[in-house]
Amino acid sequence: MLAVGVLAGLSVLSLLTYGYLSWDSLGLGPAEAEAAGTGLGEEPAAGAPGSQPHIVFILADDQGFRDVGYHGSEIRTPTLDKLAAEGVKLENYYVQPMCTPSRSQFITGKYQIHTGLQHSIIRPTQPNCLPLDNVTLPQKLKEVGYSTHMVGKWHLGFYRKECMPTQRGFDTFFGSLLGSGDYYTHFKCDSPGICGYDLYENDNAAWDHDNGIYSTQMYTQKVQQILASHNPRKPIFLYIAYQAVHSPLQAPGKYFEHYRSINNINRRRYAAMLACLDEAINNVTLALKKYGYYDNSIIIYSSDNGGQPTAGGSNWPLRGSKGTYWEGGIRAVGFVHSPLLKNKGSVCKELVHITDWFPTLITLAEGQIDEDIQLDGYDIWETISEGRRSPRVDILHNIDPIYTKAKNGSWAAGYGIWNTAIQSAIRVNHWKLLTGNPGYSDWVPPQAFSNAGPNRWHNERVSWSAGKTVWLFNITADPYERVDLSARYPDVVKELLRRLSQFNKTAVPVRYPPKDPRSNPKLNGGVWGPWFKEDEKKKKGDKNKGANKQKNKNKKKAN
């Protein structure tokens, strides 16, 4: 047991000992850094902060675990490095493997199995959205006097007006509804002939803002405008969901300057995008200081899932990638920066999950969590701020009953407790169990990014055991998931399978409807937007009622 503990300490330590760039290491003092465009702002404007903190949640898109300076990346992120170094780095922090799941869990504090969004993502043509009976974080913050604003990518559904961000608790919304799109034209094709414009201001297409500005910079300008016009004596919640660094890989030319030595074109473009994002966060921090918010603010930074190596992202040394339940898909870059932290400049190795922000932020805002809301998140502020133990001991990474592609999965392989054909993953203390097909599972080292793209021959390939559908890892001792322990510890496997079964009993039905042809932007003025009309539903309902009445009359006559 002692050996395992030592091994755990060494393994986790290896994850956490990457150096970070600082202003000092760059040879810049505060004045020089500001002159070079890397300073973090002016002195705050006068204003007495209230007891409720300003909350700024910044969500990056598809940023890989390695893709930050303090994790050893060749991509420079001086702003992120400095903010993290002066705050608390979250080095045991988990999100979901894809866009919609992470965003839904952040905004509700609930696992996917409890919202019906446990399969894949919400597609543009699906009549689907975050279920309307779920209370959202901005709704709870509004109850206690917060001004709530969202800038960036929504990706929680929009087929009806009630699903739009302004109907889910945000006073204002400026951004995109879909999962991706062109960074300059804001145009998105879901399939051939199904194309439309995707930039919104509140509930209407933002044609007036279509000036060909790169979205990362455009969103930052919007944030600056919001901060300039708001009274810093009143609490504000800013949810900034940048499109970067999700594909398509696009960036303004000047950001390529430091990365021309990167041979792989996708990695080079990705690096330029991340450099622009880092500068944007610097400008947000500048605005917080300039307009008098900073001293009473909490800035949270998170990626929504792991990086995609085929699109330039790197999760090395973790296994797997975006869209998988290996650590490379779900272990994220994350940190908290705030003058209100007690243990500044520290590293938090306690277990933290994206669902935890919901109760944590509501409690910090002096809000109330209704007793009838069954949350999966925990209040982890004391864990982050004071270094206390996390109240969280487990994470249900997911149970997807639709994704059953593991042909050799069976109840027998799951000891009669669980059907291992089902894709699922769970973490309990040090143990992590995966069943079904967890997804692409190679380790992709930095040298794999050749000029022709990530070269699978340079990857550390996995030799699959025939028919394997269950894996067990001690993540504390083996964070890179190299040693499968499922055969050595069958009792642990059984216990975790039972936990999966218990969670599954609380699951709601999956919401994953087929495409609706009425979603075509051609039918909506060339814009992606709500297409479901409540009146149509009522008319159909009235027709059905009328038909039923007539049938009943006919039956009475016959009788």
Side-chain angles (χ1 to χ4, degrees), residues 248-328:
L249 301 177
Q250 299 171 293
K254 71 173 185 176
Y255 297 100
F256 287 84
E257 182 178 343
H258 296 292
Y259 303 107
R260 301 197 187 283
S261 61
I262 298 178
N263 289 328
N264 177 259
I265 186 62
N266 284 347
R267 182 66 173 169
R268 194 187 318 148
R269 289 171 178 163
Y270 178 96
M273 295 168 74
L274 187 55
C276 182
L277 178 63
D278 187 79
E279 180 184 271
I281 293 161
N282 175 50
N283 289 332
V284 169
T285 313
L286 267 166
L288 288 169
K289 292 189 174 185
K290 180 178 180 180
Y291 298 115
Y293 298 88
Y294 178 78
D295 287 345
N296 191 37
S297 69
I298 296 171
I299 302 170
I300 300 165
Y301 183 87
S302 170
S303 181
D304 67 339
N305 46 247
Q308 179 59 271
T310 57
S314 175
N315 304 305
W316 179 261
L318 302 181
R319 184 178 185 176
S321 63
K322 171 185 177 177
T324 77
Y325 289 97
W326 304 108
E327 293 291 285

Side-chain angles (χ1 to χ4, degrees), residues 97 319-327 329 403 405-406 423-424 434-442 456 462 464 471:
R319 184 178 185 176
S321 63
K322 171 185 177 177
T324 77
Y325 289 97
W326 304 108
E327 293 291 285
Y403 196 88
K405 293 188 177 182
Q423 185 189 61
S424 65
L434 303 97
T435 72
N437 180 356
Y440 173 81
S441 61
D442 286 2
R456 290 181 65 88
V462 180
W464 289 94
W471 295 262

Side-chain angles (χ1 to χ4, degrees), residues 176-238:
S176 63
L177 298 175
L178 277 61
S180 64
D182 190 282
Y183 281 72
Y184 293 97
T185 67
H186 321 297
F187 200 72
K188 168 71 175 180
C189 288
D190 186 57
S191 59
I194 310 295
C195 304
Y197 184 71
D198 181 29
L199 181 64
Y200 269 75
E201 184 161 33
N202 298 323
D203 297 329
N204 300 301
W207 296 108
D208 293 342
H209 293 273
D210 188 10
N211 300 317
I213 303 174
Y214 186 65
S215 75
T216 301
Q217 297 168 328
M218 179 177 63
Y219 290 155
T220 304
Q221 290 173 9
K222 188 65 177 179
V223 170
Q224 291 168 325
Q225 292 168 10
I226 292 170
L227 291 173
S229 61
H230 183 74
N231 182 354
R233 287 186 174 85
K234 296 181 179 178
I236 189 171
F237 170 52
L238 260 176

Side-chain angles (χ1 to χ4, degrees), residues 415-429:
Y415 300 97
I417 301 168
W418 186 256
N419 180 1
T420 64
I422 296 172
Q423 185 189 61
S424 65
I426 189 171
R427 170 81 177 267
V428 179
N429 293 315

Side-chain angles (χ1 to χ4, degrees), residues 545-559:
K545 285 180 182 178
N548 290 335
K549 284 182 180 179
Q550 190 61 43
K551 285 180 184 177
N552 291 335
K553 285 181 181 178
N554 293 338
K555 282 181 182 178
K556 287 179 181 178
K557 287 181 181 178
N559 290 335

